[in-house]
Amino acid sequence: MSESNPSLRERHRTRTLAEIHQAALELVGECGYGDTAVDAIAERAGVSRRTFFNYYPSKEAAVLGATEPRISEAARERFLDPTTGDEFARTVRLFMDVLRDATGPPEFTARRHELVENNPELKRRVGMHITTVESLVVSTVVEHSAQGTTPRSEETSHAFVLLAGAVIKFAFRTNTHLATTLDDDAVQLALDHAIGVFRTALKEIS
Amino acid sequence: MSESNPSLRERHRTRTLAEIHQAALELVGECGYGDTAVDAIAERAGVSRRTFFNYYPSKEAAVLGATEPRISEAARERFLDPTTGDEFARTVRLFMDVLRDATGPPEFTARRHELVENNPELKRRVGMHITTVESLVVSTVVEHSAQGTTPRSEETSHAFVLLAGAVIKFAFRTNTHLATTLDDDAVQLALDHAIGVFRTALKEIS
DNA sequence: CTGCACTTGTGCAAGTTTGCACTCATGCAT
DNA sequence: ATGCATGAGTGCAAACTTGCACAAGTGCAG
């Protein structure tokens, strides 16, 4: 009842989340981040200020559409399915999936990216956000490793995840258009390529 | 904060009221009154069934957009203002105002009228509705008469109101297009004319 | 007739939104 | 510096919405 067949409550929550985010993007686009009051965003979104803070913990989060990161059932299943790639590739994808789930709707990706690019406060917030995702992914990978046939040390799993994060960062740095595209396949392709590059590089140092 | 400068809560309430009413009109238009389920109306309006019944006490009421009749501040003030006509004319207008306030948005008047015309259940409900309005107007007029300089008996006030109701009925019967117009002035004009006709007729019997 | 399915309408508990009254921090004018 | 306005963010109670379970009525197949 929560992943694919949302109740009225969940649908409404999703809609409000998007409405506040969209209102925030519009107003920040019109007036700039500093000159946009939370009150104004709430009003345009058609909710009270209190409700605004029920949905987003801060103005920054609303502008980014950043929701509290969590591992969705879909993402977890994809990660646990061994037929969809080797474990490192699956870890990269898990990281990417969680990142996406905790980010506002894809249709606003371009605008968000632009705002973040020239706004230090937002940039800082994105960093914190990614760190949170990282921890989540770490615990998932650690947990899975413990239950697997060839358990890895927690330390190794942790490094594994940081490596996955680096791959993603690398893929987006070397393909700047990825940050503003809606094409999931293109992202996946770039990630796969980045994984290859990393594998090669890692051979050099091992 | 309640008549002209509605709070977020009141605005939302008004919107939901209209959304349910509109959904009801649409579905009844598409499927007929009997074949339209409350569940379907609620779903189209984007609310739960329980909320549907929080807004309207029955399916009929939702189709009619009939809200619990009450005397608004504006209507009361208009009635109490002696510069806007003699007491009978003001009573007619009070009746009309309350009727309008307890009816769905004017833009759906035509469709409502059509549905009521060929649907006995709705017709019955409209009758009950008008009776409720009548009682309300009676108590207002009685109350005002008691405080006036020339108090009238309660019985006389009651007759006064029924007379006002008859004037309205007469005006709409003899100007069928009034039932589907959005032109308030045209309605007022027709009412004024009807009042004249009644005055003449009453002279004959007094 | 009997059982079954379906619909209207209601009671209630749990979850959500609102309004309001704060606190805290920042900036700005006196 | 001191007061003063403004904006972010929070706690709380009251109002509202939702989901669910249930009563009552209606129609219809067997």
Side-chain angles (χ1 to χ4, degrees), chain A residues 69-132:
Chain A
R70 54 180 281 275
I71 312 277
S72 73
E73 258 336 288
R76 181 188 301 278
E77 274 167 28
R78 231 147 77 95
F79 172 64
L80 294 181
D81 180 357
T83 70
T84 64
D86 68 22
E87 182 154 5
F88 184 61
R90 273 152 43 215
T91 303
V92 169
R93 221 189 28 222
L94 175 66
F95 203 134
M96 195 65 225
D97 283 347
V98 176
L99 222 37
R100 246 202 286 267
D101 287 348
T103 306
E107 60 265 36
F108 300 129
T109 302
R111 176 169 285 293
R112 273 196 301 264
H113 184 70
E114 184 202 332
L115 289 175
V116 171
E117 274 316 296
N118 39 36
N119 202 307
E121 286 178 283
L122 293 178
K123 228 164 193 162
R124 188 175 49 77
R125 168 67 59 147
V126 170
M128 289 168 45
H129 200 239
I130 292 179
T131 304
T132 310

Side-chain angles (χ1 to χ4, degrees), chain B residues 37-76:
Chain B
V38 167
D39 280 0
I41 299 173
E43 186 177 358
R44 176 163 310 194
V47 299
S48 71
R49 175 148 70 114
R50 206 57 188 76
T51 297
F52 174 98
F53 283 110
N54 285 343
Y55 277 86
Y56 292 102
S58 67
K59 188 166 90 171
E60 290 167 8
V63 173
L64 296 174
T67 51
E68 195 55 33
R70 56 181 279 275
I71 312 276
S72 73
E73 259 333 290
R76 181 187 301 278

Side-chain angles (χ1 to χ4, degrees), chain A residues 7-140:
Chain A
S7 68
L8 181 56
R9 241 173 195 149
E10 286 169 295
R11 274 180 284 152
H12 184 252
R13 181 169 191 81
T14 304
R15 195 159 65 81
T16 306
L17 218 40
E19 281 171 351
I20 295 176
H21 175 49
Q22 175 157 15
L25 284 179
E26 285 174 9
L27 283 170
V28 170
E30 291 167 19
C31 315
Y33 181 79
D35 289 339
T36 299
V38 166
D39 281 0
I41 299 173
E43 185 177 359
R44 177 164 308 197
V47 299
S48 70
R49 195 235 291 237
R50 205 59 188 75
T51 297
F52 174 99
F53 283 110
N54 285 344
Y55 278 86
Y56 292 103
S58 67
K59 188 166 88 170
E60 290 167 8
V63 172
L64 296 174
T67 51
E68 194 57 33
R70 54 180 281 275
I71 312 277
S72 73
E73 258 336 288
R76 181 188 301 278
E77 274 167 28
R78 231 147 77 95
F79 172 64
L80 294 181
D81 180 357
T83 70
T84 64
D86 68 22
E87 182 154 5
F88 184 61
R90 273 152 43 215
T91 303
V92 169
R93 221 189 28 222
L94 175 66
F95 203 134
M96 195 65 225
D97 283 347
V98 176
L99 222 37
R100 246 202 286 267
D101 287 348
T103 306
E107 60 265 36
F108 300 129
T109 302
R111 176 169 285 293
R112 273 196 301 264
H113 184 70
E114 184 202 332
L115 289 175
V116 171
E117 274 316 296
N118 39 36
N119 202 307
E121 286 178 283
L122 293 178
K123 228 164 193 162
R124 188 175 49 77
R125 168 67 59 147
V126 170
M128 289 168 45
H129 200 239
I130 292 179
T131 304
T132 310
V133 171
E134 222 167 55
S135 321
L136 261 183
V137 175
V138 166
S139 47
T140 301

